[in-house]
Amino acid sequence: MAEGLRERKKRETRQRISDVATGLFLAHGFDKVTVADVARAADVSVNTVFNYFGTKEELFMDRRAEAEDVPSRVVRERGPGESVVAAFRREFLAAIEAQDWRYGLNEGADEFERVVAGSPSLTARMREMEEQRRERLARTLAEETDAEPEDLRPRLVAAQILEATGLLARQAVRLRMAGESWGRIAPWLREQAQAAFDLLEKGIGDYGAGSP
């Protein structure tokens, strides 16, 4: 269905408010910027801001809903006969090439992280979002595999996959923050990602056993 004029204007207004807010947060820090500051800079009323965003944190995390659904979408859209681990390997390697924001690999992810780290409320919201991602992925895995309610495997798999991709992404951000260029980070990240997914795919039973 084609987007109507009213819907388009609402979408554009929401995006403009979000863009203005993000710019202010990056420039001054999340806790130092008020909703009134955002409204004034976006040339709208405070009530208008809250019509589009329920909380100040939502102004900064405006793509939270999409980010929370990414892991479940990877599972739902995997190819015929493709395992869950294989689907995430393919998706994450493609994300490195695209510097995908959904995995925190985009230009500016280091600035985003600095703002989050400087705000206790944003840090708490990020933890909450990660928990929601795990829960949603676990439910999707349970549905896709017809798991029984007492079967813990969907939760275990969800936790392992998201910890692996999260660790890889966080380390890439740390390297950016340390001044490394993406041209140096990307090859290292691809190598580490392949090793991580190899572990997930083959299991860790022999890890640390040493040579016979």
Side-chain angles (χ1 to χ4, degrees), residues 156-173:
L156 290 168
V157 171
Q160 290 180 55
I161 287 175
L162 292 185
E163 180 57 27
T165 56
L167 178 62
L168 291 163
R170 289 192 297 273
Q171 189 58 33
V173 169

Side-chain angles (χ1 to χ4, degrees), residues 82-120:
E82 186 177 34
S83 73
V84 169
V85 172
F88 274 97
R89 183 197 294 265
R90 172 178 50 76
E91 175 85 357
F92 193 82
L93 291 175
I96 295 174
E97 297 306 315
Q99 296 186 57
D100 198 323
W101 70 267
R102 294 172 299 179
Y103 287 88
L105 304 178
N106 55 297
E107 191 75 32
D110 50 342
E111 293 301 320
F112 183 94
E113 178 59 29
R114 286 191 182 98
V115 174
V116 171
S119 170

Side-chain angles (χ1 to χ4, degrees), residues 39-101:
R40 188 162 43 249
D43 195 27
V44 298
S45 69
V46 170
N47 284 341
T48 297
V49 174
F50 282 121
N51 284 340
Y52 289 95
F53 302 92
T55 66
K56 179 182 169 185
E57 286 77 13
E58 288 179 18
L59 280 164
F60 188 68
M61 301 171 64
D62 64 310
R63 294 188 284 190
R64 174 175 172 168
E66 182 179 354
E68 285 183 359
D69 191 53
V70 166
S72 292
R73 180 186 56 75
V74 173
V75 173
R76 292 193 303 267
E77 297 179 359
R78 70 193 189 283
E82 186 177 34
S83 73
V84 169
V85 172
F88 274 97
R89 183 197 294 265
R90 172 178 50 76
E91 175 85 357
F92 193 82
L93 291 175
I96 295 174
E97 297 306 315
Q99 296 186 57
D100 198 323
W101 70 267

Side-chain angles (χ1 to χ4, degrees), residues 126-204:
M126 288 297 292
R127 291 197 188 105
E128 180 183 287
M129 185 184 78
E130 291 304 319
E131 179 62 26
Q132 289 298 317
R133 280 161 60 92
R134 282 193 298 274
E135 288 296 322
R136 188 174 296 187
L137 176 57
R139 286 197 300 270
T140 301
L141 290 169
E143 292 166 1
E144 292 284 318
T145 60
D146 294 321
E148 296 295 330
E150 66 274 11
D151 190 345
L152 293 180
R153 285 177 295 179
R155 288 179 178 273
L156 290 168
V157 171
Q160 290 180 55
I161 287 175
L162 292 185
E163 180 57 27
T165 56
L167 178 62
L168 291 163
R170 289 192 297 273
Q171 189 58 33
V173 169
R174 291 190 187 102
L175 290 172
R176 280 187 187 272
M177 295 174 76
E180 289 284 359
S181 69
W182 184 251
R184 291 175 62 87
I185 294 171
W188 173 87
L189 189 58
R190 280 193 294 269
E191 180 182 346
Q192 294 298 311
Q194 293 284 20
F197 284 107
D198 283 347
L199 281 174
L200 290 173
E201 192 169 65
K202 299 172 184 175
I204 61 174

